[in-house]
Amino acid sequence: MQAPDTSSVTTAAESTSATVRTPRLKVIDMVRGITILLVVVGHAGLTPVVLNDMFRDFRLPLFFIVSGYLFSASKYFDNFTSLLRTRIITLVVPYLSAGLLSYLLWLTLRTIETNHTPDIAWHEPLVAIAYGTYSGGLLLNIPIWFLPCLFMTQIIFCLSMRYLSGRPLFLQLAVMLSLSLIGYALSTVAFLPWNIDVALVAQLFVFIGYQLKQRQLLSKIRIFNLGTLLLMVIFLAAAYFNSYVDMNNREYGNLLLFYTAGIAGSLLTIQMTQLLSKSRFFTAFLTYIGQESLAILIFHYGIFILLLNFMEHYVYDSYLSWFPTTVIAVAGSLVLSMVVKRVPGLGFLVGGKA
């Protein structure tokens, strides 16, 4: 039940603070809910493997597209300091808190069972947290690598777009594509701290999400028409012909196929979400999951799957399938989130809120 892939999630703080949410923002919450569930399912060891590999082609690009959609130009283009302060609170603080919490749990489990990860020195996970990358598995709560990555992604996007705003769309697209290609080139040389190279690769996805909102294209996406069939064919072809994709490990395969599958799969997911939004149950369930996506991201693997792996290996000598593991990891994360929110101070450390 090792996690072969990592992803993360756009924080709830990136969405509007309005009490009444528009239908489009509800769809975005539902999209986040679907995607974080796919992330947990992947870490729980979804079978068949080919299906899990297909999800990898679009679930992380989709999070970046959602991030771009929720980015507020009017709020941050003229106030970069506000963006920096807000993202430190909503992304960096939860990242450090979740990393240290998982580290303490790991130390406890290793004290109980001395044969637990004996090849990892006590200080190596701390170095990995500071460096902000997967670090070959030394970042014990693997999925949280996405939080510093998203932090750097939004910083780069804001600094770029504040100067590109008002310029021709073609020029904006050309610059974003250039930044993405630079990130890919850098990733072939070294994995940069705080995933700066991945943040650059993601600029094209963020830009697409930003344009979806700026041009109000989300409401124009139709549910299942000829375009849907075309998107499905494009996605399946790109996913089939491309090799294994894992942004965390800088495995993109063919770059054209990577971006094609990521964009097409994301748009298909949005269309499917619009269909599901017609059901009150799915709307309520996926919206709730989406709004709790940060808590699920930081708890599902670093606490619950870590504990399950330990108990399965050292206590029961048997392994759960992906479905019960997913249920336990998601439900446990939601319960722990509710507890944390009721304890003064902990909500800020783990969720970016007081």
Side-chain angles (χ1 to χ4, degrees):
M1 203 165 63
Q2 287 296 322
D5 173 43
T6 61
S7 300
S8 92
V9 62
T10 316
T11 65
E14 291 181 89
S15 56
T16 180
S17 59
T19 302
V20 180
R21 301 176 68 78
T22 67
R24 279 177 295 174
L25 286 172
K26 286 183 179 179
V27 168
I28 290 297
D29 275 336
M30 292 176 68
V31 168
R32 293 191 302 187
I34 290 173
T35 314
I36 191 61
L37 288 177
L38 293 179
V39 168
V40 180
V41 161
H43 292 158
L46 173 66
T47 52
V49 175
V50 64
L51 188 60
N52 194 28
D53 288 346
M54 187 177 296
F55 289 152
R56 285 195 187 95
D57 287 304
F58 70 87
R59 62 188 179 198
L60 195 51
L62 180 54
F63 275 130
F64 286 120
I65 289 175
V66 168
S67 173
Y69 186 90
L70 295 175
F71 184 85
S72 175
S74 61
K75 188 174 182 180
Y76 297 126
F77 278 176
D78 295 326
N79 194 352
F80 176 73
T81 303
S82 177
L83 174 69
L84 193 61
R85 180 175 59 251
T86 301
R87 293 303 179 254
I88 287 175
I89 293 174
T90 60
L91 293 174
V92 177
V93 171
Y95 164 73
L96 295 174
S97 302
L100 292 173
L101 179 62
S102 297
Y103 174 71
L104 293 175
L105 176 59
W106 174 76
L107 282 180
T108 301
L109 295 178
R110 202 158 77 154
T111 301
I112 297 173
E113 176 54 62
T114 55
N115 290 326
H116 182 54
T117 59
D119 54 328
I120 301 178
W122 69 268
H123 65 278
E124 290 181 308
L126 295 176
V127 175
I129 291 173
Y131 198 69
T133 67
Y134 171 62
S135 299
L138 294 177
L139 186 65
L140 302 172
N141 191 348
I142 299 173
I144 64 171
W145 76 272
F146 181 69
L147 296 180
C149 179
L150 183 59
F151 174 78
M152 296 307 306
T153 300
Q154 295 218 342
I155 296 301
I156 294 170
F157 182 76
C158 182
L159 290 175
S160 302
M161 285 301 298
R162 68 190 296 190
Y163 295 109
L164 290 171
S165 182
R167 306 282 185 177
L169 178 62
F170 177 78
L171 177 61
Q172 296 180 21
L173 178 60
V175 172
M176 289 297 149
L177 181 57
S178 298
L179 290 175
S180 297
L181 293 176
I182 290 171
Y184 173 75
L186 289 172
S187 70
T188 62
V189 178
F191 291 9
L192 298 183
W194 281 48
N195 309 285
I196 294 174
D197 53 309
V198 182
L200 287 167
V201 170
Q203 290 305 302
L204 184 60
F205 295 126
V206 180
F207 179 72
I208 289 172
Y210 178 73
Q211 291 300 323
L212 282 176
K213 181 177 69 173
Q214 292 298 108
R215 301 176 186 279
Q216 299 183 350
L217 297 177
L218 193 61
S219 60
K220 298 177 183 179
I221 296 178
R222 295 292 176 257
I223 303 173
F224 296 119
N225 53 20
L226 185 60
T228 304
L229 181 60
L230 180 61
L231 272 177
M232 189 172 297
V233 171
I234 292 173
F235 169 71
L236 291 175
Y240 177 80
F241 287 108
N242 198 16
S243 58
Y244 178 83
V245 170
D246 184 357
M247 293 184 74
N248 176 32
N249 283 308
R250 282 67 167 178
E251 297 184 27
Y252 305 106
N254 180 284
L255 208 56
L256 176 60
L257 294 177
F258 163 71
Y259 281 117
T260 300
I263 295 168
S266 297
L267 293 178
L268 282 171
T269 304
I270 292 172
Q271 286 185 309
M272 184 187 72
T273 305
Q274 289 178 323
L275 179 62
L276 291 176
S277 68
K278 297 182 181 297
S279 164
R280 289 185 178 181
F281 169 78
F282 283 116
T283 298
F285 174 71
L286 291 175
T287 298
Y288 174 61
I289 295 296
Q291 291 172 345
E292 292 292 329
S293 56
L294 176 61
I296 295 173
L297 171 73
I298 64 180
F299 290 140
H300 83 272
Y301 187 88
I303 301 296
F304 294 100
I305 290 183
L306 186 63
L307 281 171
L308 284 174
N309 282 338
F310 180 84
M311 294 179 67
E312 289 167 347
H313 186 74
Y314 295 105
V315 180
Y316 298 116
D317 195 26
S318 63
Y319 295 87
L320 294 174
S321 67
W322 66 269
F323 183 75
T325 299
T326 299
V327 172
I328 292 171
V330 172
S333 298
L334 294 174
V335 171
L336 189 53
S337 175
M338 287 189 290
V339 172
V340 163
K341 289 177 181 178
R342 295 178 181 274
V343 179
L346 286 185
F348 172 77
L349 290 175
V350 180
K353 298 177 182 179

